[in-house]
Amino acid sequence: MSDSLVRVSRRAEWGAHRPTPGARRCRGTPRARAAIHNRDDDVSTSISTARAWATIAIRVGQCPESIGGPALTLSVIIHQLSGCARFSLQELNIGGNQINGTLSDLSIFSALKTLDLSENQLNGKIPESTKLPYLLESLSIGSNSLEGGIPKSFGDACALRSLDMSNNSLSEEFSMIIHHLSGCARYSLEQLSLSMNQINGTLPDLSIFSSLKKLYLYGNKLNGEIPKDIKFPPQLEQLDLQSNSLKGVLTDYHFANMSKLYFLELSDNSLLALAFSQNWVPPFQLRSIGLRSCKLGPVFPKWLETQNQFQVETLYELDLSNNHFSGKIPDCWSHFKSLTYLDLSHNNFSGRIPTSMGSLLHLQALLLRNNNLTDEIPFSLRSSEQMFKNNVLLLLKSIDLSSNHFSGEIPLEIEDLFGLVLLNLSRNHLTGKIPSNIGKLTSLEYLDLSRNQFVGSIPPSLTQIYWLSVLDLSHNHLTGKIPTSTQLQSFNASSYEDNLDLCGPPLEKFCIDERPTQKPNVEVQEDEYSLLSREFYMSMTFGFVISFWVVFGSILFKRSWRHAYF
């Protein structure tokens, strides 16, 4: 292992800090610098006798074996650092290694402010006897295998500003975790990251955390009903409760006095409803809103139309997919001019795409799949400007309008969206030809035009899209030979199936003069049946006429026959 991979340094800005009384007893200067070398005979000694270190950073994928020995446990590493360094060490970063064991008592490091133990192999429950350094401001032990809960002693870390224990196996009830953190840490804590654990229970009152700005709880097992009388911290800026099983109703009462909130993610809580007063105006302006798979419908939330009304902040992402919205999409998008991501998929919206969506000049993703939208795909969303012209919506990367009831042709202006990566117009009623210059979309990776009524040939320009990894043109009325290129022939035949007059590889149907070698069987059978029908009914008609006059003529002219039959 080279010397450049393992380093110990002292930050210049800490050089003027006075050492603690314990550090004064250690000989050496507080400005001392040192480096850990990969030598078995001096590494552990240099760590334990280092004088007045302020920062130790070891992020190499594997700590030197001589620090912790073959076992490489955290307790051994802490022991090696328990010499004079424990009085002056302010930052310890040994994340991203293969350290195992559990979290040991760290209170001996009287000056430690930042500790990063993330992305290691720490496991088991954190002992109740574990104490944090009194001056610790940031503790990151995410991406380990820790179990159980958070010791009550963590709540006594009065300087703690950031606690990251995400991506572990914590299984304690959330209300108990909050109780353990409700010591003096409730006044200092600004960020609490507990995502991707197995924490259960419901939300307790969080307003006691007067400084909390960021709360991340996504990907847990929160499943209780949210009490009606709890409140979130007044200083909260980011709230992420995505992918839980929370129940109950969130009202405007819960969000009172939250004027600084700009990130709200509640998606994938299918039993959670939002019921705000009809004329409620939120005290916040959101930049990102995630409400996928919540109980919001059927009426589009009026309070959303107030966001960015005064352009105090800018909304960048809005996800309202998989709710039960119905009726027309509101024509209110001129308020969201900074919107980059809009997802209204999997609802019951009907009618046309509103005109004001043409004002979303920074939009990069427009996702409206699986609704009941009708009419033509609008390329004239603004009164005098086309949607895909004059630099309008030229930043679009993804368009998904699939599984609707759009009709008409694909707007030719779509060829000018040079940055487009995904285009999905499948399962509609689109007609006409595929735009001939669609090959200008050289950034395209995903193209699905299946299950429409497109006619004509596949544009040869499609061979110019070298990054195309997904292509589906099946179930249309396309004709002629599939253009020859390494790219188009690499797709499975299913990408072109059910286009009866399409031929050439990868289809098994060969072409002669750019046409299929024979008419489809269905058409041949229809011609045969129609020919038989004409011959049959013509012969039957002639036979009837001749027979009628032979019999009726004989009766008419022979008196004896007339008396016999009449």
Side-chain angles (χ1 to χ4, degrees):
M1 184 178 300
S2 64
D3 293 346
S4 61
L5 291 179
V6 182
R7 61 182 177 82
V8 178
S9 63
R10 179 174 177 80
R11 290 188 175 178
E13 61 268 28
W14 287 342
H17 288 184
R18 296 179 61 189
T20 61
R24 293 194 189 99
R25 292 193 294 270
C26 295
R27 290 181 295 176
T29 169
R31 297 180 182 272
R33 297 174 181 266
I36 296 180
H37 300 282
N38 190 22
R39 301 174 185 167
D40 292 342
D41 57 348
D42 68 356
V43 175
S44 59
T45 302
S46 64
I47 290 178
S48 59
T49 61
R51 302 174 178 89
W53 283 355
T55 302
I56 296 180
I58 308 173
R59 292 188 70 93
V60 297
Q62 182 177 4
C63 285
E65 291 183 359
S66 55
I67 293 179
L72 200 63
T73 61
L74 179 61
S75 58
V76 174
I77 294 175
I78 295 302
H79 176 71
Q80 296 289 354
L81 292 170
S82 61
C84 294
R86 73 180 188 268
F87 300 111
S88 59
L89 187 63
Q90 296 185 30
E91 181 175 348
L92 176 59
N93 184 343
I94 50 177
N97 291 283
Q98 301 177 16
I99 303 169
N100 56 40
T102 191
L103 196 63
S104 307
D105 185 80
L106 302 167
S107 59
I108 62 171
F109 296 98
S110 56
L112 192 63
K113 294 183 178 181
T114 302
L115 175 60
D116 187 352
L117 297 170
S118 61
E119 299 178 27
N120 279 296
Q121 299 175 6
L122 301 178
N123 55 75
K125 294 183 177 181
I126 302 175
E128 286 293 330
S129 58
T130 298
K131 294 182 180 180
L132 300 180
Y134 183 76
L135 296 179
L136 191 67
E137 297 178 357
S138 176
L139 174 61
S140 180
I141 47 178
S143 299
N144 282 282
S145 300
L146 296 170
E147 302 173 355
I150 295 178
K152 192 173 183 179
S153 58
F154 279 27
D156 297 329
C158 300
L160 190 63
R161 298 171 59 188
S162 176
L163 175 61
D164 183 359
M165 300 184 68
S166 59
N167 198 21
N168 278 283
S169 299
L170 303 179
S171 57
E172 195 170 43
E173 284 197 10
F174 185 53
S175 57
M176 184 60 67
I177 291 175
I178 293 302
H179 176 68
H180 286 173
L181 292 175
S182 61
C184 58
R186 67 182 180 179
Y187 302 112
S188 61
L189 198 60
E190 296 180 2
Q191 176 173 327
L192 179 59
S193 302
L194 299 174
S195 301
M196 302 302 294
N197 280 285
Q198 301 176 32
I199 299 170
N200 54 70
T202 189
L203 297 180
D205 188 85
L206 298 168
S207 60
I208 61 172
F209 291 88
S210 55
S211 300
L212 194 63
K213 297 179 180 180
K214 300 176 182 179
L215 177 60
Y216 304 120
L217 292 169
Y218 68 85
N220 277 286
K221 295 183 177 181
L222 298 175
N223 55 4
E225 186 161 343
I226 298 177
K228 298 179 179 180
D229 56 348
I230 67 167
K231 288 186 177 181
F232 293 107
Q235 301 298 318
L236 201 63
E237 299 174 354
Q238 299 185 29
L239 175 62
D240 193 342
L241 302 176
Q242 181 180 353
S243 299
N244 282 282
S245 300
L246 289 168
K247 305 174 184 177
V249 180
L250 283 175
T251 67
D252 35 334
Y253 176 84
H254 294 103
F255 293 94
N257 301 321
M258 295 179 64
S259 59
K260 297 185 178 181
L261 188 69
Y262 65 83
F263 179 92
L264 178 62
E265 179 58 82
L266 304 177
S267 297
D268 302 322
N269 286 278
S270 58
L271 300 178
L272 180 64
L274 276 72
F276 299 118
S277 303
Q278 184 176 1
N279 298 319
W280 179 61
V281 178
F284 46 75
Q285 288 288 324
L286 297 173
R287 302 179 194 176
S288 178
I289 306 175
L291 300 175
R292 178 183 62 247
S293 299
C294 293
K295 297 168 67 175
L296 295 179
V299 181
F300 192 85
K302 291 287 291 183
W303 65 271
L304 282 176
E305 300 181 26
T306 68
Q307 299 301 285
N308 291 321
Q309 186 173 3
F310 304 105
Q311 298 300 313
V312 178
E313 294 287 353
T314 51
L315 178 65
Y316 296 110
E317 298 183 10
L318 178 59
D319 186 348
L320 298 176
S321 61
N322 199 24
N323 281 282
H324 301 285
F325 294 126
S326 60
K328 295 183 178 180
I329 298 176
D331 196 3
C332 62
W333 303 100
S334 58
H335 298 319
F336 305 97
K337 292 183 178 179
S338 298
L339 198 65
T340 61
Y341 180 94
L342 176 60
D343 190 352
L344 301 178
S345 303
H346 304 286
N347 282 291
N348 295 310
F349 286 120
S350 58
R352 306 187 65 177
I353 295 178
T355 302
S356 59
M357 277 193 180
S359 63
L360 301 177
L361 305 183
H362 299 282
L363 195 64
Q364 297 184 26
L366 177 61
L367 311 177
L368 302 177
R369 72 175 294 150
N370 197 19
N371 279 283
N372 295 309
L373 299 172
T374 57
D375 293 331
E376 296 182 351
I377 295 177
F379 61 92
S380 183
L381 289 183
R382 299 178 71 178
S383 57
S384 60
E385 297 178 358
Q386 291 183 333
M387 178 177 178
F388 301 125
K389 292 183 70 174
N390 302 328
N391 296 322
V392 179
L393 298 187
L394 293 185
L395 297 177
L396 270 172
K397 304 293 184 184
S398 301
I399 299 177
D400 190 345
L401 307 180
S402 61
S403 300
N404 279 284
H405 303 290
F406 289 114
S407 57
E409 300 184 2
I410 298 177
L412 295 179
E413 289 78 12
I414 207 169
E415 298 171 348
D416 297 327
L417 300 179
F418 303 122
L420 203 60
V421 176
L422 180 149
L423 177 61
N424 189 352
L425 304 178
S426 64
R427 299 177 185 273
N428 279 288
H429 306 297
L430 299 174
T431 58
K433 296 182 178 181
I434 299 174
S436 59
N437 291 323
I438 196 171
K440 293 167 63 177
L441 305 178
T442 54
S443 299
L444 207 59
E445 298 179 12
Y446 184 109
L447 176 61
D448 190 348
L449 303 178
S450 63
R451 298 183 185 277
N452 280 285
Q453 301 173 28
F454 293 118
V455 298
S457 59
I458 297 176
S461 67
L462 203 59
T463 61
Q464 302 170 12
I465 306 178
Y466 302 113
W467 297 105
L468 199 61
S469 58
V470 176
L471 174 66
D472 195 346
L473 303 177
S474 62
H475 302 282
N476 280 288
H477 305 299
L478 299 174
T479 60
K481 182 181 178 181
I482 298 173
T484 302
S485 73
T486 304
Q487 190 75 357
L488 296 185
Q489 271 64 47
S490 66
F491 294 108
N492 193 281
S494 61
S495 297
Y496 307 97
E497 68 181 3
D498 198 22
N499 287 280
L500 297 181
D501 283 333
L502 206 59
C503 61
L507 296 176
E508 296 181 356
K509 188 185 298 182
F510 295 102
C511 299
I512 297 179
D513 296 330
E514 308 298 317
R515 293 290 180 182
T517 56
Q518 61 180 6
K519 292 287 185 179
N521 292 334
V522 175
E523 293 184 5
V524 172
Q525 292 174 357
E526 288 178 352
D527 290 342
E528 291 175 351
Y529 286 137
S530 59
L531 181 61
L532 285 174
S533 297
R534 288 195 300 270
E535 293 173 348
F536 175 75
Y537 286 113
M538 287 175 63
S539 61
M540 185 180 68
T541 302
F542 284 122
F544 175 80
V545 172
I546 295 173
S547 301
F548 175 83
W549 283 110
V550 168
V551 175
F552 186 77
S554 300
I555 295 175
L556 183 64
F557 294 106
K558 289 185 71 76
R559 180 178 298 179
S560 60
W561 284 26
R562 286 201 308 270
H563 289 294
Y565 285 95
F566 300 101

